[in-house]
């Protein structure tokens, strides 16, 4: 099963390498990984989507916790959380189907952010399901290029997050 | 007072209680060696290879429980430490490695003798640091020692660019180390301890499975009290040997691939395994699909990652084995388990670990003789291979920290430098390196260190003319296709020892074994080596083939008397 794990780490050089090394060294499967600053400049948040059975997921969390630079590990999956990803999709268009493509993009609340005679570049945010659905609908027109950020996530406010290392 | 970075390093090491540093200098390390030149508290031991320095620091740590320190220059000096760091990391040994680095301004420029040491050692250290600002130096060293010696212990590396070593600042000793994100759990959860006690008090066939964590926690006494109260038989991992007395009536022997059949059968048949300071390594569990199907598992370990990593645990307890065992023992009722012991004694009778003395001199006989002559009172280091397993099987270790061996990584060439480190740590103790003719040649250059420092280490070469352990696998599982294992073209080890200034002897008959051992036991001003010419095709048995269930061992009689 897929889990979304949020990791607060010290914002220092080399931390990303430690986390990435942990995943490759132990053969964990990363689906996506994002890193960025947080409200505290000394802290970065990584959002990692990872697959595996319960025992593997338990190891992933424990191993992440064990890294000295880790402040907190939150497995979002059992919680209420907000999950978003951004995609830029360059889709082929022609005089005959422009309208149709625009309609599809509108339904998904996407934006067309660049236009050429033969392409639209679409910006869309949402859960990965939503982005997958849009991609499927755009596929028949021809997708020339595409980039996805990977998921970022935050838990919903009314929930408490477990403090680090209480096990 | 203003101090240079290198002086701060040396002062911090002194304040951490370090008395010996093993290492080799080089261009970028000169400032550090220059500062060491003035130290009255730290003895610098110049080794011949950085791998030797790392294993010496490791051997020191294993013999004492205190961190060992090794030092190397940038580039090749640092990369030569790699095997030593990985060895210590796999066995959770506290160690500090200091490597010089090229000046901060040219890091990343492929400078002369530059290597990305932080990148290279990241997966084989508990943590590592590149010091880029002299202001961070003292606190980094404090943190490094703190990390290395707490929680699940391990090696920590500090990479120190030479411009930082030369820069100056006002030195203030950081009294306290506060690390808000690093708080290993020591106190076991009381509810979990209670649950464990309930399981133990109702079990009919309990087994205690203990490992190196008992040594790290200094919990040997507590383990013995726990075992004696619960009446459970005890099996140990290779690294655990000595943490519970080898002569104790409740000791079943080593577990795992070359363990006693009794301890493996008992694990398999048990209804409750109490694992303490051990990690269900594949060499112990054998094929996981068949491992201890009838047993509930209580697992006590300081490292949460070790719990439920390969085997599902019913009662996990994270924390310090010493305090947890003390509390657990209080809550356990006194048990004897006569029926369970009747079964165990039956196995012990049916499956003793034996060997056949007929034919050429047998390596097992040599180890038995060392045990008899020393009455077990010695620190025994080993290399890796058959000789290591025979030592584990035939020497009875009664005291903690008297068996020193590379378990997790299985590093040939570990034993000699580790024995040197152990002898530095324990000048009054009798220290052996039990070796094969292959492993001995992997770090033989360090022999001169033992000569230089008059360390009376006893080196036992069980010389079978081949890479015996690999040959054994080829004999048993690869149709005797002996590829790449013959090392019968070899130096004259006696002359080699003498060339180094050590004593050397050769023995090839049983009746000469005792006399030769007695002779080297009397030598106390230099190392002494005996080259025992032993049977070439002897096997370490019993053996659980890799991937088989632990009940499916090949026995001595299946192979040797077949
Ligand atoms: C550095 C290293 N290289 C290779 C191996 C693989 N290996 C394991 S045991 C062994 C043979 C050891 O031979 P020797 O030291 O003569 O001991 P014996 O098995 O004959 O007692 C080898 C090559 C290893 N463990 N370590």
């Amino acid at each position: 099963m897929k889990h979304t794990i949020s990791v607060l780490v010290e914002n220092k050089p080399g931390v990303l390498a430690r986390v990435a090394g942990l995943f490759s060294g132990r053969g964990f499967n990363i689906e996506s990984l994002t890193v960025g600053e947080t409200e505290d400049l000394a802290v970065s948040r990584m959002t990692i989507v990872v697959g595996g059975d319960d025992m593997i997921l338990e190891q992933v969390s424990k191993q992440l916790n064990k890294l000295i630079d880790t402040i907190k590990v939150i497995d979002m999956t059992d919680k209420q959380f907000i999950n978003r990803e951004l995609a830029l999709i360059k889709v082929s268009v022609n005089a005959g189907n422009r309208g149709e493509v625009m309609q599809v993009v509108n339904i998904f609340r996407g934006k067309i952010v660049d236009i050429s005679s033969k392409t639209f570049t679409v910006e869309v945010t949402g859960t990965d399901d939503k982005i997958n659905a849009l991609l499927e609908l755009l596929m028949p027109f021809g997708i020339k290029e595409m980039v996805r950020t990977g998921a970022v996530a935050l838990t919903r406010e009314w929930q408490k997050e477990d403090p680090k290392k209480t096990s | 007072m203003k101090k240079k970075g290198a002086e701060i390093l040396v002062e911090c090491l002194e304040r951490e209680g370090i008395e010996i540093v093993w290492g080799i200098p080089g261009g970028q390390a000169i400032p550090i060696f220059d500062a060491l030149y003035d130290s009255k508290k730290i003895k610098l031991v110049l080794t011949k290879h950085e791998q030797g320095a790392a294993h010496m620091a490791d051997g020191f740590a294993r013999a004492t429980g205190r961190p060992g320190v090794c030092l190397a220059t940038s580039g090749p000096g640092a990369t030569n430490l790699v095997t030593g760091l990985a060895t210590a990391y796999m066995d959770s040994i506290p160690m500090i490695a200091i490597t010089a680095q090229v000046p901060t301004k040219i890091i990343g420029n492929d400078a002369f003798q530059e290597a990305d040491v932080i990148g290279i050692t990241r997966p084989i250290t508990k943590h590592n640091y590149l010091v880029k600002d002299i202001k961070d130096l003292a606190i980094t060293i404090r943190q490094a020692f703190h990390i290395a010696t707490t929680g699940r212990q391990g090696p920590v590396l500090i990479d120190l660019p030479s411009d930082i070593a030369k820069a100056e600042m006002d030195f203030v000793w950081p009294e306290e180390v506060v690390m808000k994100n690093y708080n290993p759990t020591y106190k076991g959860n009381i509810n979990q301890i209670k649950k464990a006690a309930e399981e133990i008090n109702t079990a009919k066939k309990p087994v205690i499975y203990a490992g190196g964590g008992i040594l790290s926690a200094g919990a040997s006494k507590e383990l013995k009290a726990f075992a004696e109260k619960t009446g459970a038989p005890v099996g140990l991992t290779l690294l655990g040997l000595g943490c519970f007395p080898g002569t104790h009536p409740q000791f079943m022997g080593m577990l795992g691939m070359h363990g006693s059949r009794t301890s493996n059968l008992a694990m398999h048949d048990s209804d409750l395994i109490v694992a303490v300071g051990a990690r269900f390594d594949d060499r112990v569990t054998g094929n996981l699909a068949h491992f201890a199907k009838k047993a509930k598992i209580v697992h006590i370990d300081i490292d949460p990652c070790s719990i439920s990593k390969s085997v599902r645990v019913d009662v996990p307890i994270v924390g310090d084995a010493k305090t947890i065992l003390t509390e657990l023992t209080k809550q356990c009722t006194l048990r004897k388990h006569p029926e369970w012991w009747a079964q165990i004694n039956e196995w012990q009778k049916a499956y003793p670990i034996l060997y056949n003395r007929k034919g050429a001199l047998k390596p097992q006989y040599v180890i038995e003789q060392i045990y008899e002559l020393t009455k077990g009172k010695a620190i025994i280091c080993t290399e890796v291979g058959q000789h290591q397993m025979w030592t584990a099987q035939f020497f009875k270790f009664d005291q903690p920290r008297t068996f020193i061996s590379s378990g997790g990584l299985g590093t040939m060439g570990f034993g000699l430098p580790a024995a040197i480190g152990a002898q530095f740590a324990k000048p009054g103790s009798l220290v052996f390196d039990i070796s094969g003719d292959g492993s001995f040649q992997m770090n033989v250059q360090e022999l001169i260190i033992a000569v230089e420092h008059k360390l009376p280490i006893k080196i036992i070469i069980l010389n079978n003319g081949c890479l015996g352990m690999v040959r054994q696998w080829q004999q048993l599982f690869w149709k005797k296709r002996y590829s790449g294992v013959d090392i019968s073209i070899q130096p004259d080890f006696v002359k080699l020892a003498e060339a180094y200034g050590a004593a050397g002897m050769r023995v090839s008959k049983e009746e000469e074994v005792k006399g030769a051992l007695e002779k080297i036991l009397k030598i106390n001003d230099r190392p002494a080596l005996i080259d025992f010419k032993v049977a070439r095709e002897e096997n370490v048995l019993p053996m659980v083939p890799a991937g088989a269930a632990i009940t499916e061992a090949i026995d001595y009689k299946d192979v040797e008397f077949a």
Side-chain angles (χ1 to χ4, degrees), chain B residues 384-387 410-412 436-439 442 464 466-470:
Chain B
V384 169
Q386 292 182 308
H387 60 276
T411 308
M412 290 169 71
D437 43 329
S439 297
M442 282 216 183
N464 52 14
C466 57
L467 298 173
M469 187 56 97
V470 180

Side-chain angles (χ1 to χ4, degrees), chain A residues 86-150:
Chain A
L86 183 144
L88 294 174
I89 306 158
K90 196 177 279 176
V91 54
S92 302
V93 290
N94 55 42
N97 62 19
R98 276 203 181 96
E100 198 184 336
V101 171
M102 276 166 77
Q103 234 176 357
V104 171
V105 170
N106 275 337
I107 292 169
F108 281 83
R109 288 177 220 274
K111 269 193 279 183
I112 293 165
V113 289
D114 188 42
I115 300 182
S116 73
S117 57
K118 292 193 185 116
T119 62
F120 280 169
T121 300
V122 179
E123 174 197 310
V124 64
T125 60
T127 61
D128 65 336
D129 284 348
K130 174 176 160 187
I131 292 172
N132 289 342
L134 173 60
L135 277 171
E136 199 164 305
L137 290 176
L138 292 179
M139 203 81 80
F141 302 101
I143 291 171
K144 297 193 66 168
E145 271 185 294
M146 196 258 296
V147 61
R148 298 172 69 156
T149 57

